[in-house]
Amino acid sequence: MKASYVSAAALGTLLDPDAPIWSSHSPERVSMLGTPAGMQPSAAIQVAWKGRKIGAIERAEIKALHNGEELAFRLEWADASEDAELPDNDSFPDAAAILLPAAKGAPLMTMGAPELPVNAWYWRADERESARHLVATGLGTSHTFDRTGVRGQGHWKSGRWRVVMARALRMESDQPLAQLPPGAETGFGIAIWEGSSAERGGLKSFSGNWLPLQLEPTTSGRNG
Amino acid sequence: MERQLAMVLDLNKCLGCQTCTIACKRLWTRDEGMEYMWWNSVNTQPGRGTPRDWEDLGGGFREGIPEPGRIPTRREFGEAWEYNHREVFYGENASGSGGGAGQHLQIQGEKPDWGPNWDEDQGGGDYPNSYYFYLPRICNHCTHPACLEACPRKAIEKNADNGIVTVNEDRCRGYRFCMEACPYKKIYFNQAKKISQKCIFCFPRIEQGVAPACARQCPGRVRFVGYRDDRDAPIYKLVDKWQVAIPLHPEYGTEPNVFYVPPIAPPRYDENGEIDELNPRIPEAYLVSLFGPKVIDALVVLGEEMAKARKGEKSELMDLLIAYKWKEMFGGFDEDPAAIEWVKS
Ligand code: SF4
Ligand code: SF4
């Protein structure tokens, strides 16, 4: 997928899932897979989910744009139920994440590995106007290190979620972060959790192995 | 060295006064999101318990394999409802003199259909053989904690020095696999913080040599505290030496470190209204359903030692259970809580 360069689009515009600029770019359609029950990180989860459907969301559409400073993804998927509140102990929010390798060769299936970190931009419906920035080096290791670096915004309208997540192309940090200069070629992944199916943690649908991502070079060459 | 703290509760002495419940509530669960939490609960047995019908919600292990469980809802725990205290006690909204004298204490909002002590004193059996006893419960700080093993984030920790099981709130992401897995249903979801929370065995008190609040405040001298392996202290003597203290639902497979001295029932009346010395009013089968078959042996030992004491003979076991010396119940954790310097974080 190409992340097109849209020089004039301000971050505020990109963060609006309904901004006209998004509709002028066509989406990439992605088939999503459920994570296998046998891969869940604890025996209790494996036993509880054996033979149960994991990965309620089977299709998603994604677009990416950057303005030379920030990269934004817009994710869209059909979901009959809006799970945005946690009215009870057994309710879970709809959620989505973009995964990016933070080191060459970082494995996606295991959410990274020691020495091979991945980053996740994580948005959830009960925290609609924000997103979390995570680093992971293996299943169950992800930790939120920042709640402002990644911006997020999403809404649910007539059976569809539209969610935008955006971050600066380059970020200084003591954490291992994906650096995304214009012209870069890297990979990305998508994960979606269906709250009404009690999906959370490793129970989710994901986009398979890394999908290619090219950041269109800026014509000015300003960012190299 | 790895050690394990434990608690023994003598059900023959529990008054059902809920002092333990309130001591815990005042100390640990007063913040937003914790309103419905009762890390210590006391229920009447037989009864549906807290959360409602918790014994049917699954979790734990069967032959070492995790048993799927269900997350108890807030309704099943019982929501914390509000009363019109201000109207009754301070005459708010009242017209004329007399203030709140004309007001009745009433639940505000939706009428609850369950609460943490809903079926208090109902019990079981038919007159004249009706019976009940109180069963106080906290997290069992299990040796084989289902909660900890279910968590995919390793957010639940068992302290190697004392065996206390706690939720690491920084690692917890509120997935609630622990709530499914704990067969005792002693983990609560905090909706405000979006994390799981549970009994911490008052570890900040333990660190200062003070027994947990539920034990220290108990007016019935019900609760013994201490290390499992401390051979000179009551826990070891009651659990291992005399074997009169046994865990609740050992078949759940988590190896609890909270043990109960089972209730000794008075005899039944037979059809003619005569005392039937051979049959206790609490059916043995009922106690076995709670504590497993070992409860029968425990009751035999208790009966023998009681008979000895009645004859004026010395019984170490009876002396222990009477707890003549209150502070000796606490296995060395007998510092005065008033002496603690609390640091509020
Ligand atoms: S009682 Fe439940 S919460 Fe407590 S340690 Fe055992 S399994 Fe975990
Ligand atoms: S354990 Fe002690 S404090 Fe708690 S209800 Fe029983 S007697 Fe009261």
Side-chain angles (χ1 to χ4, degrees), chain A residues 41-45 47-49 52 86-93 122 124 126-127 132 134 139-144 193 198 200-203, chain B residues 36 65-75 77 79 146 149-154 171 173-177 179-181 188-191 194:
Chain A
S42 80
I45 306 175
V47 169
W49 285 78
R52 230 168 116 182
L86 306 179
D88 210 332
N89 291 337
D90 55 358
S91 29
F92 295 91
Y122 173 66
R124 43 192 274 180
D126 60 331
E127 298 169 4
R132 307 185 191 187
L134 279 70
L139 290 179
T141 65
S142 68
H143 69 276
T144 305
W193 291 263
R200 73 277 200 199
L203 303 164
Chain B
Y36 81 104
I65 313 275
E67 176 80 4
R70 184 161 76 66
I71 298 174
T73 61
R74 292 174 66 108
R75 258 204 133 80
F77 279 110
E79 293 278 3
E149 291 173 32
C151 177
R153 294 186 53 75
K154 302 193 169 53
R171 288 215 54 75
R173 200 163 289 151
Y175 294 157
R176 291 160 266 169
F177 293 113
M179 291 179 81
E180 291 179 3
Y188 303 78
F189 181 58
N190 182 320
Q191 260 166 314
K194 298 179 188 174

Side-chain angles (χ1 to χ4, degrees), chain B residues 169-239:
Chain B
E169 298 193 354
D170 296 324
R171 288 215 54 75
C172 177
R173 200 163 289 151
Y175 294 157
R176 291 160 266 169
F177 293 113
C178 55
M179 291 179 81
E180 291 179 3
C182 170
Y184 298 93
K185 301 301 163 194
K186 270 295 173 192
I187 304 199
Y188 303 78
F189 181 58
N190 182 320
Q191 260 166 314
K193 293 178 86 176
K194 298 179 188 174
I195 51 166
S196 294
Q197 293 179 317
K198 62 180 283 299
C199 160
I200 56 174
F201 210 80
C202 289
F203 75 83
R205 292 167 64 109
I206 289 286
E207 282 167 1
Q208 306 216 32
V210 181
C214 57
R216 173 89 192 196
Q217 301 306 122
C218 172
R221 300 195 182 185
V222 168
R223 300 182 184 225
F224 299 84
V225 175
Y227 285 109
R228 264 297 253 120
D229 60 1
D230 183 350
R231 291 184 169 239
D232 300 323
I235 297 272
Y236 179 87
K237 289 182 181 160
L238 294 169
V239 176

